[in-house]
Amino acid sequence: MEALNVLIAIGLIHCLLLFFDTIFKSCSHYPYLYFLKNTGLEIQVLRITWFTTAFNRKIIKWGMGRSKFWTAWFNAGVIVSVILLPLATIAILRMTFNIWTNGPSLDNSNSEPLLEPMLPGIDVPCNEIGYYIITLVICTFMHELGHALAAAREDVQLFGLGILIVFIIPTAYVHISSEQLTLLPIKNQLRVICAGVWHNIVLATAAATIVMLSTWLWTPFYAVGNGIYVKTILPNSPVLGPTGLLEQDVIYEINDCPVKRTEDWYNCILHTINQPALGFSFILFFIISKEDSLEYDESVPSRQKTNGVINCCTSDSEVGGSLCFEYIEGPQAAPLHLPPHSCLPARAMINQSQNFCHASHECLFHDTHCLKPSLDNITKAYEGKDVLFFGHPADIYRTVDVSDWIPKYSFLNPKLPETVTLLSKYITVFSAGLAVINIMPCFFLDGQYIINILMLYLLNFTPHNKNIRQTIILTITSISTLLLIINLLYVLMNKLL
């Protein structure tokens, strides 16, 4: 519902912009027309276009400088793109064959993963929509910048760069002289056309490298793989408070399940949920000295609940985080000289505890005792060095946000490495997908022009059979476009239905 509200709000904004644009133009507001002309803005139905020539000189300067570097750079792009084109075509043929063989199943587990990066935005959570928009802008800008630099290097006229927003999807584009491009030698044309795909491949590789090296890059400031960091806790969380979890806590274990990364955190919670209800024998027992128990004791006369559980705390003590604990002496211990139950602050007791135990004979030091919480047999328990939680594990899953990045200094926050890593992952997937989908020999994509030039070069020895050459190009392009549409529709059905 939240995503639908956002889409409705964006649609209303487009309608308002179109309404005022129509009003101002129809009333012949020359200052408004002058503003549109000078800024390069154009407003259409669910579309906003911005075109500028401000970067032309800078791009031409970059393209014309360092001639040997750019020549080698764009030659490498041609080689990689020409190699990638048949691989992408074979992959799309294989996927289509699998669709026809297995049938139009809507089971996501059977779908091919190749087209996942080609459909950005389908599975993007609402809280990551900003990453989605920024990633699309970066990937499309780098793609078009590659074409612009290659065109400037080949002395093709550059008219300008632009950004097009179709409803919520932003894309960049470059306007160059197509007439001058077609007059270039075949090799030079390939440099310009393959430059966009090549830049996307380089961008995806750079982003993937950042993701793989992220742990090493942030080592001086953050620790990863040895626990998880509590970022935020919702105000309604049952674990929030002086006796529960606190923000900036580090969690190493849930019951006997080690937690090293966020995946372990969720898996351990899921494992606890799937376990049968835990009894007293599984609830945390810990060691505490007699002095500590007397210092913190807030006990009132014990009373037995209807379910047989002993309660020795007042309501105010329970609100403050105290629990009724039972002394467990064990068969080898001397007679207990303390009351069998004491009301003690849970967090303070656990912090003072020396170790875990099941009976007092396990205590290593003199005058220490083993305690356990007096709770219902059906209550589940989390155990750890610092926190006891009694309740349903799903409450923690819903209300606690954790991070893999543990700051080594108090002034640091895991938001920075998380943002960089997540954005790099988005860029890796989207830029690689954009490269793969653009290299396809389909209509309106770079692959259409690449296959056209390659066929022209390969069949150049038969110039009198121009019609045959055009027929071959049209056939390849049409079949590839049809196959791509089939696969995209198949993946969309698996995602949306």
Side-chain angles (χ1 to χ4, degrees):
M1 184 60 67
E2 181 181 352
L4 180 60
N5 292 336
V6 172
L7 294 177
I8 293 174
I10 294 174
L12 291 176
I13 292 174
H14 276 283
C15 292
L16 287 175
L17 289 175
L18 182 62
F19 172 76
F20 286 112
D21 179 74
T22 304
I23 292 295
F24 290 153
K25 287 180 178 178
S26 61
C27 294
S28 300
H29 286 73
Y30 290 104
Y32 176 71
L33 297 175
Y34 180 80
F35 167 78
L36 292 179
K37 181 179 178 181
N38 283 273
T39 57
L41 285 174
E42 183 180 359
I43 300 175
Q44 298 173 322
V45 179
L46 299 180
R47 290 178 47 167
I48 301 175
T49 306
W50 176 65
F51 182 80
T52 181
T53 59
F55 304 103
N56 288 11
R57 288 188 178 182
K58 182 64 67 175
I59 292 174
I60 293 173
K61 182 178 179 181
W62 288 347
M64 298 304 294
R66 300 181 180 179
S67 177
K68 293 183 179 180
F69 168 79
W70 286 121
T71 300
W73 176 262
F74 291 118
N75 283 339
V78 171
I79 296 172
V80 172
S81 299
V82 171
I83 294 174
L84 183 61
L85 188 145
L87 296 178
T89 305
I90 293 173
I92 203 73
L93 287 171
R94 177 176 173 271
M95 292 176 62
T96 308
F97 176 77
N98 289 338
I99 292 175
W100 290 114
T101 303
N102 301 328
S105 172
L106 298 179
D107 184 6
N108 288 340
S109 61
N110 296 328
S111 62
E112 290 289 333
L114 180 65
L115 280 181
E116 296 291 335
M118 300 180 190
L119 296 171
I122 290 179
D123 288 331
V124 177
C126 288
N127 61 339
E128 295 180 6
I129 194 68
Y131 293 96
Y132 165 63
I133 294 175
I134 293 173
T135 300
L136 284 182
V137 171
I138 292 175
C139 293
T140 56
F141 177 77
M142 287 298 296
H143 182 95
E144 300 302 332
L145 180 62
H147 289 308
L149 286 172
R153 178 72 189 87
E154 301 299 335
D155 201 22
V156 176
Q157 184 177 1
L158 173 64
F159 297 111
L161 297 172
I163 294 178
L164 172 65
I165 301 177
V166 181
F167 193 61
I168 195 176
I169 301 177
T171 59
Y173 66 95
V174 61
H175 187 196
I176 60 176
S177 174
S178 57
E179 292 80 6
Q180 293 183 9
L181 178 63
T182 55
L183 294 177
L184 293 175
I186 291 178
K187 185 176 181 180
N188 301 64
Q189 291 186 48
L190 283 174
R191 288 175 184 169
V192 177
I193 296 173
C194 296
V197 172
W198 169 237
H199 275 218
N200 279 134
I201 294 173
V202 173
L203 179 62
T205 303
T209 303
I210 293 176
V211 173
M212 291 186 294
L213 300 180
S214 59
T215 302
W216 178 78
L217 293 173
W218 295 101
T219 297
F221 308 103
Y222 297 90
V224 180
N226 188 27
I228 57 173
Y229 180 85
V230 179
K231 292 194 301 182
T232 56
I233 304 176
L234 295 181
N236 62 342
S237 175
V239 297
L240 179 63
T243 61
L245 285 176
L246 299 175
E247 292 184 4
Q248 301 182 4
D249 278 345
V250 179
I251 300 172
Y252 300 98
E253 186 176 289
I254 299 177
N255 286 342
D256 291 327
C257 183
V259 177
K260 296 183 178 181
R261 294 183 177 271
T262 52
E263 293 83 1
D264 302 328
W265 162 256
Y266 297 124
N267 290 335
C268 289
I269 290 179
L270 182 62
H271 176 70
T272 306
I273 293 174
N274 293 332
Q275 281 183 339
L278 304 179
F280 282 147
S281 61
F282 293 95
I283 295 177
L284 173 64
F285 294 64
F286 58 89
I287 298 173
I288 196 70
S289 68
K290 179 179 179 180
E291 290 77 8
D292 288 331
S293 65
L294 293 176
E295 177 183 355
Y296 294 105
D297 192 4
E298 303 175 0
S299 301
V300 297
S302 301
R303 61 187 184 278
Q304 189 173 18
K305 297 181 180 179
T306 56
N307 56 7
V309 176
I310 301 298
N311 184 23
C312 59
C313 294
T314 64
S315 299
D316 293 339
S317 298
E318 290 178 345
V319 172
S322 295
L323 291 174
C324 186
F325 289 92
E326 177 183 356
Y327 290 91
I328 308 298
E329 288 303 294
Q332 303 178 9
L336 182 64
H337 299 290
L338 294 170
H341 297 88
S342 294
C343 182
L344 304 171
R347 178 178 276 272
M349 290 299 97
I350 296 172
N351 289 337
Q352 296 290 337
S353 176
Q354 302 163 3
N355 205 340
F356 300 133
C357 65
H358 292 85
S360 289
H361 66 82
E362 299 178 3
C363 302
L364 301 178
F365 299 96
H366 176 68
D367 203 19
T368 55
H369 303 275
C370 186
L371 288 79
K372 75 170 184 178
S374 179
L375 296 167
D376 300 342
N377 283 344
I378 61 171
T379 304
K380 291 190 175 183
Y382 282 84
E383 81 179 44
K385 184 177 180 181
D386 297 317
V387 175
L388 273 173
F389 171 69
F390 307 97
H392 200 281
D395 294 336
I396 296 183
Y397 179 84
R398 291 192 302 263
T399 60
V400 179
D401 188 18
V402 297
S403 172
D404 284 326
W405 303 90
I406 304 174
K408 294 184 177 180
Y409 306 98
S410 58
F411 63 87
L412 294 176
N413 189 284
K415 188 66 176 177
L416 179 59
E418 281 184 338
T419 301
V420 173
T421 304
L422 183 57
L423 183 61
S424 298
K425 289 180 180 179
Y426 268 90
I427 291 175
T428 301
V429 174
F430 286 18
S431 190
L434 193 61
V436 172
I437 208 169
N438 267 282
I439 201 63
M440 296 285 187
C442 304
F443 292 110
F444 309 113
L445 299 179
D446 291 342
Q448 175 189 4
Y449 304 101
I450 294 175
I451 197 69
N452 192 359
I453 295 173
L454 290 177
M455 287 294 115
L456 181 64
Y457 174 76
L458 294 175
L459 301 178
N460 196 36
F461 58 89
T462 58
H464 56 282
N465 291 331
K466 182 178 179 181
N467 293 333
I468 297 177
R469 188 166 62 238
Q470 293 297 327
T471 301
I472 295 175
I473 294 172
L474 181 61
T475 302
I476 294 175
T477 306
S478 300
I479 293 175
S480 299
T481 303
L482 179 61
L483 295 178
L484 181 61
I485 291 174
I486 292 173
N487 282 272
L488 290 177
L489 291 176
Y490 176 72
V491 176
L492 280 172
M493 286 192 299
N494 281 333
K495 290 293 183 180
L496 299 179
L497 300 182

